[in-house]
Amino acid sequence: MSGSTTTGEKGGPMRRAVHPIETESYRIMRSRADFAHFPPLTRAVVERVVHTTADPTWTGEVAADEAALRAGRAALLADAPLITDVRMVAAGITARPAEVGLDRPGVAELAADAGLTRSAAGIRLAAEAHPDGAVWAIGNAPTALFELVRLAAAGQVRPALVVGVPVGFVGAVDAKAALRRSGLPAASTLTERGGAAIAAAVINALLYWAEPGGDR
């Protein structure tokens, strides 16, 4: 993404200088896809995902609830913990740091002892450290999302928002469907598509959006 970023005041949107190339990119994107039917913050999220991928077919891919997105945005702007499954998601979030579950001490040991993937073990350890009110962005491992949904069902974690967009042909669709069935405040994708760039795009949209006028 082009443009410099600065951190906004607590409770307010992040401010940044938007590069003319990005402005033109959004103009072209909006000429090729219809975003008018989305609620305002959902539109900001979908637009940023389409902009990130240069693929207008993403307009039919994102499943999100406007109230859940607003709650997640409020949590982020109030400095709630932001936790990602892998470093690639954290690296794509441009306005604030994120904790990476996979980097928590003891991940390898827990994975071996409990028969988990390392991504799932990282989520379990992060949930122990941040049981209440965190924003979770999972863009790589379906097993990480399954573990977060399981922990929530057991009452061990209470997220402000789950951005669950793992990618892949094995487990990704089922994990995202489980997230939507869980009743957790969430944003997800409907098919195998997803990935670190998508998870980061959703979080960036929440951080930069400002009323009125969307995220731009």
Side-chain angles (χ1 to χ4, degrees):
M1 289 250 283
S2 301
S4 61
T5 64
T6 58
T7 301
E9 296 178 1
K10 184 178 287 191
M14 304 298 173
R15 304 296 183 186
R16 69 190 185 116
V18 180
H19 194 282
I21 291 175
E22 185 175 343
T23 299
E24 176 63 6
S25 179
Y26 265 73
R27 186 195 67 77
I28 294 170
M29 178 187 74
R30 288 165 176 163
S31 74
R32 297 184 182 181
D34 178 17
F35 302 97
H37 60 288
F38 292 110
L41 188 50
T42 304
R43 172 174 176 162
V45 166
V46 175
E47 283 192 333
R48 193 159 293 277
V49 169
V50 172
H51 180 262
T52 296
T53 59
D55 182 355
T57 65
W58 281 91
T59 56
E61 179 74 46
V62 178
D65 176 75
E66 182 80 357
L69 294 178
R70 287 177 180 267
R73 175 179 177 275
L76 288 170
L77 297 181
D79 292 334
L82 171 59
I83 303 158
T84 70
D85 57 335
V86 294
R87 294 175 198 146
M88 286 180 66
V89 178
I93 297 167
T94 54
R96 58 162 292 178
E99 178 181 318
V100 180
L102 201 58
D103 288 345
R104 291 196 66 85
V107 163
E109 293 80 3
L110 177 60
D113 292 344
L116 299 169
T117 66
R118 291 194 177 195
S119 295
I123 292 300
R124 184 179 296 185
L125 291 171
E128 291 175 0
H130 305 290
D132 289 301
V135 174
W136 299 76
I138 297 177
N140 182 70
T143 56
L145 184 55
F146 272 127
E147 180 65 9
L148 185 61
V149 171
R150 186 193 71 79
L151 291 168
Q156 295 176 258
V157 64
R158 291 158 290 277
L161 177 69
V162 179
V163 177
V165 291
V167 61
F169 292 112
V170 179
V173 170
D174 291 340
K176 289 178 277 194
L179 172 62
R180 291 190 293 274
R181 289 193 303 269
S182 73
L184 291 169
S188 64
T189 50
L190 298 173
T191 70
E192 294 90 351
R193 293 198 294 177
I198 305 306
V202 174
I203 297 296
N204 285 333
L206 298 180
L207 288 168
Y208 289 129
W209 182 73
E211 290 186 281
D215 70 323
R216 305 275 304 140

PDB file of all heavy atoms in Angstrom, residues 140-154:
ATOM      1  N   ASN A 140      -4.062 -17.929   7.795  1.00  0.00           N
ATOM      2  CA  ASN A 140      -3.232 -18.976   7.213  1.00  0.00           C
ATOM      3  C   ASN A 140      -3.748 -20.380   7.503  1.00  0.00           C
ATOM      4  O   ASN A 140      -3.998 -21.153   6.593  1.00  0.00           O
ATOM      5  CB  ASN A 140      -1.796 -18.843   7.727  1.00  0.00           C
ATOM      6  CG  ASN A 140      -0.869 -19.867   7.126  1.00  0.00           C
ATOM      7  OD1 ASN A 140      -0.559 -19.807   5.943  1.00  0.00           O
ATOM      8  ND2 ASN A 140      -0.432 -20.824   7.941  1.00  0.00           N
ATOM      9  N   ALA A 141      -3.916 -20.702   8.795  1.00  0.00           N
ATOM     10  CA  ALA A 141      -4.118 -22.094   9.176  1.00  0.00           C
ATOM     11  C   ALA A 141      -5.557 -22.382   9.593  1.00  0.00           C
ATOM     12  O   ALA A 141      -6.032 -21.842  10.594  1.00  0.00           O
ATOM     13  CB  ALA A 141      -3.177 -22.452  10.330  1.00  0.00           C
ATOM     14  N   PRO A 142      -6.269 -23.272   8.876  1.00  0.00           N
ATOM     15  CA  PRO A 142      -7.596 -23.677   9.340  1.00  0.00           C
ATOM     16  C   PRO A 142      -7.569 -24.260  10.747  1.00  0.00           C
ATOM     17  O   PRO A 142      -8.508 -24.061  11.525  1.00  0.00           O
ATOM     18  CB  PRO A 142      -8.023 -24.725   8.303  1.00  0.00           C
ATOM     19  CG  PRO A 142      -7.279 -24.343   7.056  1.00  0.00           C
ATOM     20  CD  PRO A 142      -5.951 -23.837   7.547  1.00  0.00           C
ATOM     21  N   THR A 143      -6.500 -24.970  11.101  1.00  0.00           N
ATOM     22  CA  THR A 143      -6.435 -25.558  12.443  1.00  0.00           C
ATOM     23  C   THR A 143      -6.422 -24.490  13.521  1.00  0.00           C
ATOM     24  O   THR A 143      -6.956 -24.689  14.617  1.00  0.00           O
ATOM     25  CB  THR A 143      -5.195 -26.449  12.591  1.00  0.00           C
ATOM     26  OG1 THR A 143      -4.013 -25.687  12.294  1.00  0.00           O
ATOM     27  CG2 THR A 143      -5.279 -27.655  11.666  1.00  0.00           C
ATOM     28  N   ALA A 144      -5.825 -23.330  13.236  1.00  0.00           N
ATOM     29  CA  ALA A 144      -5.827 -22.229  14.198  1.00  0.00           C
ATOM     30  C   ALA A 144      -7.233 -21.710  14.415  1.00  0.00           C
ATOM     31  O   ALA A 144      -7.646 -21.423  15.548  1.00  0.00           O
ATOM     32  CB  ALA A 144      -4.904 -21.111  13.708  1.00  0.00           C
ATOM     33  N   LEU A 145      -7.998 -21.598  13.334  1.00  0.00           N
ATOM     34  CA  LEU A 145      -9.371 -21.107  13.457  1.00  0.00           C
ATOM     35  C   LEU A 145     -10.249 -22.128  14.175  1.00  0.00           C
ATOM     36  O   LEU A 145     -11.060 -21.775  15.040  1.00  0.00           O
ATOM     37  CB  LEU A 145      -9.942 -20.770  12.084  1.00  0.00           C
ATOM     38  CG  LEU A 145     -11.343 -20.156  12.085  1.00  0.00           C
ATOM     39  CD1 LEU A 145     -11.415 -18.912  12.972  1.00  0.00           C
ATOM     40  CD2 LEU A 145     -11.767 -19.818  10.662  1.00  0.00           C
ATOM     41  N   PHE A 146     -10.096 -23.409  13.832  1.00  0.00           N
ATOM     42  CA  PHE A 146     -10.851 -24.446  14.546  1.00  0.00           C
ATOM     43  C   PHE A 146     -10.571 -24.383  16.047  1.00  0.00           C
ATOM     44  O   PHE A 146     -11.480 -24.507  16.868  1.00  0.00           O
ATOM     45  CB  PHE A 146     -10.469 -25.833  14.026  1.00  0.00           C
ATOM     46  CG  PHE A 146     -11.268 -26.305  12.846  1.00  0.00           C
ATOM     47  CD1 PHE A 146     -10.627 -26.740  11.700  1.00  0.00           C
ATOM     48  CD2 PHE A 146     -12.656 -26.360  12.891  1.00  0.00           C
ATOM     49  CE1 PHE A 146     -11.353 -27.198  10.608  1.00  0.00           C
ATOM     50  CE2 PHE A 146     -13.392 -26.823  11.802  1.00  0.00           C
ATOM     51  CZ  PHE A 146     -12.738 -27.240  10.664  1.00  0.00           C
ATOM     52  N   GLU A 147      -9.302 -24.180  16.418  1.00  0.00           N
ATOM     53  CA  GLU A 147      -8.954 -24.135  17.839  1.00  0.00           C
ATOM     54  C   GLU A 147      -9.572 -22.923  18.520  1.00  0.00           C
ATOM     55  O   GLU A 147     -10.073 -23.025  19.643  1.00  0.00           O
ATOM     56  CB  GLU A 147      -7.433 -24.117  18.006  1.00  0.00           C
ATOM     57  CG  GLU A 147      -6.953 -24.065  19.445  1.00  0.00           C
ATOM     58  CD  GLU A 147      -7.304 -25.295  20.269  1.00  0.00           C
ATOM     59  OE1 GLU A 147      -7.780 -26.311  19.705  1.00  0.00           O
ATOM     60  OE2 GLU A 147      -7.097 -25.258  21.505  1.00  0.00           O
ATOM     61  N   LEU A 148      -9.579 -21.789  17.867  1.00  0.00           N
ATOM     62  CA  LEU A 148     -10.174 -20.601  18.462  1.00  0.00           C
ATOM     63  C   LEU A 148     -11.679 -20.787  18.657  1.00  0.00           C
ATOM     64  O   LEU A 148     -12.231 -20.430  19.710  1.00  0.00           O
ATOM     65  CB  LEU A 148      -9.901 -19.379  17.586  1.00  0.00           C
ATOM     66  CG  LEU A 148     -10.376 -18.038  18.150  1.00  0.00           C
ATOM     67  CD1 LEU A 148      -9.693 -17.722  19.478  1.00  0.00           C
ATOM     68  CD2 LEU A 148     -10.135 -16.923  17.145  1.00  0.00           C
ATOM     69  N   VAL A 149     -12.354 -21.350  17.675  1.00  0.00           N
ATOM     70  CA  VAL A 149     -13.791 -21.615  17.798  1.00  0.00           C
ATOM     71  C   VAL A 149     -14.044 -22.604  18.932  1.00  0.00           C
ATOM     72  O   VAL A 149     -14.988 -22.442  19.723  1.00  0.00           O
ATOM     73  CB  VAL A 149     -14.353 -22.130  16.459  1.00  0.00           C
ATOM     74  CG1 VAL A 149     -15.791 -22.616  16.621  1.00  0.00           C
ATOM     75  CG2 VAL A 149     -14.286 -21.033  15.400  1.00  0.00           C
ATOM     76  N   ARG A 150     -13.209 -23.623  19.046  1.00  0.00           N
ATOM     77  CA  ARG A 150     -13.364 -24.609  20.124  1.00  0.00           C
ATOM     78  C   ARG A 150     -13.198 -23.956  21.492  1.00  0.00           C
ATOM     79  O   ARG A 150     -13.984 -24.202  22.417  1.00  0.00           O
ATOM     80  CB  ARG A 150     -12.340 -25.736  19.955  1.00  0.00           C
ATOM     81  CG  ARG A 150     -12.524 -26.881  20.952  1.00  0.00           C
ATOM     82  CD  ARG A 150     -11.321 -27.803  20.968  1.00  0.00           C
ATOM     83  NE  ARG A 150     -10.171 -27.164  21.584  1.00  0.00           N
ATOM     84  CZ  ARG A 150      -9.983 -27.032  22.897  1.00  0.00           C
ATOM     85  NH1 ARG A 150     -10.897 -27.462  23.747  1.00  0.00           N
ATOM     86  NH2 ARG A 150      -8.894 -26.452  23.357  1.00  0.00           N
ATOM     87  N   LEU A 151     -12.173 -23.126  21.638  1.00  0.00           N
ATOM     88  CA  LEU A 151     -11.931 -22.446  22.905  1.00  0.00           C
ATOM     89  C   LEU A 151     -13.094 -21.519  23.267  1.00  0.00           C
ATOM     90  O   LEU A 151     -13.490 -21.428  24.433  1.00  0.00           O
ATOM     91  CB  LEU A 151     -10.631 -21.653  22.824  1.00  0.00           C
ATOM     92  CG  LEU A 151      -9.348 -22.488  22.740  1.00  0.00           C
ATOM     93  CD1 LEU A 151      -8.166 -21.589  22.371  1.00  0.00           C
ATOM     94  CD2 LEU A 151      -9.069 -23.210  24.054  1.00  0.00           C
ATOM     95  N   ALA A 152     -13.645 -20.849  22.265  1.00  0.00           N
ATOM     96  CA  ALA A 152     -14.788 -19.968  22.523  1.00  0.00           C
ATOM     97  C   ALA A 152     -16.005 -20.773  22.969  1.00  0.00           C
ATOM     98  O   ALA A 152     -16.727 -20.373  23.887  1.00  0.00           O
ATOM     99  CB  ALA A 152     -15.102 -19.151  21.276  1.00  0.00           C
ATOM    100  N   ALA A 153     -16.245 -21.916  22.338  1.00  0.00           N
ATOM    101  CA  ALA A 153     -17.376 -22.754  22.718  1.00  0.00           C
ATOM    102  C   ALA A 153     -17.233 -23.263  24.146  1.00  0.00           C
ATOM    103  O   ALA A 153     -18.239 -23.467  24.847  1.00  0.00           O
ATOM    104  CB  ALA A 153     -17.503 -23.926  21.747  1.00  0.00           C
ATOM    105  N   ALA A 154     -15.993 -23.442  24.580  1.00  0.00           N
ATOM    106  CA  ALA A 154     -15.727 -23.910  25.943  1.00  0.00           C
ATOM    107  C   ALA A 154     -15.703 -22.769  26.953  1.00  0.00           C
ATOM    108  O   ALA A 154     -15.469 -23.011  28.147  1.00  0.00           O
ATOM    109  CB  ALA A 154     -14.397 -24.658  25.973  1.00  0.00           C
TER     110      ALA A 154
END
